[in-house]
Amino acid sequence: MKKCFAAAAAVLLALLTAVSASAEGYVMKKKPSFYEKIIRYESEYVISLSLGNGVIGFGKPSVTSGLSVATMPEADGVSPEVYSTWPCTRVVPYFSAFAALGLCENAYEGGRDTVLAYINWYISHMNTAQSDVNGVAGTVYDYYCFVDPSDPKNVIEVTYMDALGDKTRNYDSTDSYAATFLKLLCSYTDNYDSDFLNDKAGLVETLVGTIYSTYCADIGLTGAKPDYMVCYLMDNCEVYEGLAAISEKFPEYAEKAEQIRQGIIGALDSGKGYYYPAVFENGSSAYEMGDTASFEYYPQATSQLFPIIFGVTEKDSDMSDTLYTLFNSLYGIKGVSGKDWTRIDAGSGYPWALNLRAAVIMEDWERAEDFVESVYTKFVSAGHPYPYYCAEAGHILIAVGELMEKAFDGTGEDSSVSGDADTSVSGSGNGFIKALPYIALAAAVIGGAAAVIFAVRYKPKKK
């Protein structure tokens, strides 16, 4: 009888454990070691993109025939006919900053020098009001960087404007570039050097001025850049995050951060359960919106995640839930061609790892795991082929680092192997419904065990 009771109790304990795990929500398929491996691989990838001049390139330099040498200038005494044959990569400071942020947010050992080198490169390339094509201090141009094959430390830098002969090809934005760099300065201070910003009030003031060079007071938003005054939801969410981050170090900027947040809520919230992707200075929508079912992947759908990612809306708010649900109702449909962002089968071929950051914030672990697995298979384990690039790695690092903290409570394990594991975490989905089969089975075992014990204990004795 004791053996029967012990066996039943053991089975019951195991089932109750399963019930407890499933009732919490989603059961993680991968071990912490898998995500630790992703962090290690992508950190080393970002470090590998750092050039001899300190900049973080868009991708690995390669020889290209896509640039005409007709308008390209002689640089550092080297003719364009020579350096145009060298391996080349693009540099978009906005993308590079996200790559550096990925290292910072994980405080990756070995990443500090790479991040500091990039910060110093950015500061040394900030324009003055006199040198900037739009007369704005603190801007940084986009560049082509050519790496001397015989001396990798020798890097020729040519602006997009000079290479392409087009003065409008200066930078993609003034507001996002400066805001993202502000966020990077704060993250570097928090994770690598607590004293870093102590003597940089002037630098911060210049960068905030760069952001506000396109401020539209009537609607409380910043335009993309002086020669393209469209106020984007994406840009302004990034502006809010940058200002909110720097206001923790310099409280005098807190009012400006709130100013932008109120502008987003006031001028970009449609009142119909979504945000306008962009508005003009007069507040009118820059895009035909129509019914939400007709939203294109970019920018209508993807931009809806930016208020969540950059902290404009709280994770537990109704608006965050509405925005995230809307996005996934359009492009989070598992197995539907062109509609499944987790399989990198939506929009263009770019991974859009920003989506992962929203999934992690919203604790949508199933979609998060599906996406990370897709990225690992298609890009990470394949050697980071195009269209994977530096910012994708940065967003992956930020998101996976947060996933480790939230899904596994910050616990890790030996990172030498990866594989499947039944590791339970709280998250999206109805845990109770998922647990019903276990509950029913547990109830059956309890009933069976009780019946066995009763039968054994009270079985009539033979005369």
Side-chain angles (χ1 to χ4, degrees), residues 320-333:
S320 287
D321 186 63
T322 296
L323 295 172
Y324 189 70
T325 299
L326 170 61
F327 175 74
N328 283 301
S329 72
L330 299 172
Y331 293 102
I333 309 173

Side-chain angles (χ1 to χ4, degrees), residues 120-454:
N120 288 333
W121 179 91
Y122 191 102
I123 293 172
S124 69
H125 286 70
M126 288 170 60
N127 293 308
T128 64
Q130 292 70 38
S131 65
D132 178 59
V133 68
N134 288 307
V136 177
T139 62
V140 176
Y141 294 138
D142 294 343
Y143 286 85
Y144 290 102
C145 285
F146 299 84
V147 181
D148 185 345
S150 63
D151 180 10
K153 291 185 178 180
N154 181 26
V155 180
I156 298 294
E157 303 175 351
V158 181
T159 68
Y160 276 27
M161 293 188 299
D162 289 337
L164 304 174
D166 182 356
K167 291 296 183 184
T168 67
R169 295 295 301 273
N170 35 57
Y171 25 65
D172 188 64
S173 68
T174 51
D175 56 355
S176 283
Y177 282 38
T180 306
F181 189 63
L182 276 177
K183 174 64 177 175
L184 176 61
L185 293 177
C186 294
S187 185
Y188 182 83
T189 302
D190 290 339
N191 293 288
Y192 287 125
D193 182 356
S194 59
D195 296 326
F196 184 71
L197 280 172
N198 289 353
D199 60 349
K200 294 181 174 59
L203 170 64
V204 171
E205 182 179 11
T206 297
L207 290 166
V208 173
T210 306
I211 293 171
Y212 266 77
S213 67
T214 57
Y215 183 66
C216 304
D218 288 345
I219 56 176
L221 299 171
T222 58
K225 55 181 182 174
D227 55 356
Y228 192 73
M229 283 296 294
V230 178
C231 303
Y232 284 94
L233 172 62
M234 294 180 174
D235 289 40
N236 278 271
C237 289
E238 292 163 341
V239 165
Y240 169 72
E241 183 192 50
L243 291 173
I246 204 64
S247 68
E248 293 181 7
K249 319 292 182 185
F250 298 87
E252 59 266 34
Y253 298 114
E255 184 176 344
K256 289 187 179 298
E258 182 60 20
Q259 198 174 46
I260 294 295
R261 194 180 77 86
Q262 291 299 326
I264 294 169
I265 294 170
L268 289 170
D269 188 345
S270 70
K272 302 174 184 177
Y274 63 84
Y275 282 90
Y276 295 119
V279 294
F280 295 115
E281 291 180 78
N282 63 6
S284 62
S285 177
Y287 291 90
E288 291 290 336
M289 298 305 294
D291 187 81
T292 55
S294 65
F295 279 12
E296 295 182 9
Y297 185 69
Y298 172 83
Q300 284 92 335
T302 49
S303 64
Q304 304 307 314
L305 300 180
F306 275 60
I308 300 171
I309 296 166
F310 295 98
V312 175
T313 58
E314 295 290 333
K315 167 193 173 291
D316 296 324
S317 68
D318 290 341
M319 192 58 174
S320 287
D321 186 63
T322 296
L323 295 172
Y324 189 70
T325 299
L326 170 61
F327 175 74
N328 283 301
S329 72
L330 299 172
Y331 293 102
I333 309 173
K334 193 168 185 176
V336 177
S337 179
K339 298 285 187 178
D340 189 354
W341 70 267
T342 69
R343 299 302 180 192
I344 314 179
D345 185 16
S348 64
Y350 288 99
W352 272 87
L354 269 162
N355 299 341
L356 174 65
R357 292 181 62 180
V360 171
I361 290 170
M362 299 301 291
E363 298 185 16
D364 185 353
W365 304 124
E366 183 171 4
R367 286 193 177 96
E369 284 214 293
D370 286 348
F371 180 80
V372 175
E373 187 173 5
S374 295
V375 166
Y376 180 78
T377 301
K378 294 185 178 183
F379 297 107
V380 177
S381 64
H384 306 96
Y386 184 84
Y388 199 81
Y389 65 104
C390 65
E392 298 285 7
H395 291 306
I396 287 288
L397 285 168
I398 294 169
V400 172
E402 187 173 350
L403 181 151
M404 286 290 294
E405 288 296 319
K406 295 173 72 173
F408 300 107
D409 297 324
T411 60
E413 60 183 65
D414 165 25
S415 60
S416 61
V417 294
S418 66
D420 295 338
D422 292 333
T423 307
S424 304
V425 298
S426 61
S428 62
N430 193 323
F432 180 75
I433 291 175
K434 291 180 180 180
L436 283 177
Y438 296 104
I439 294 172
L441 185 55
V445 171
I446 293 171
V452 169
I453 293 168
F454 182 89

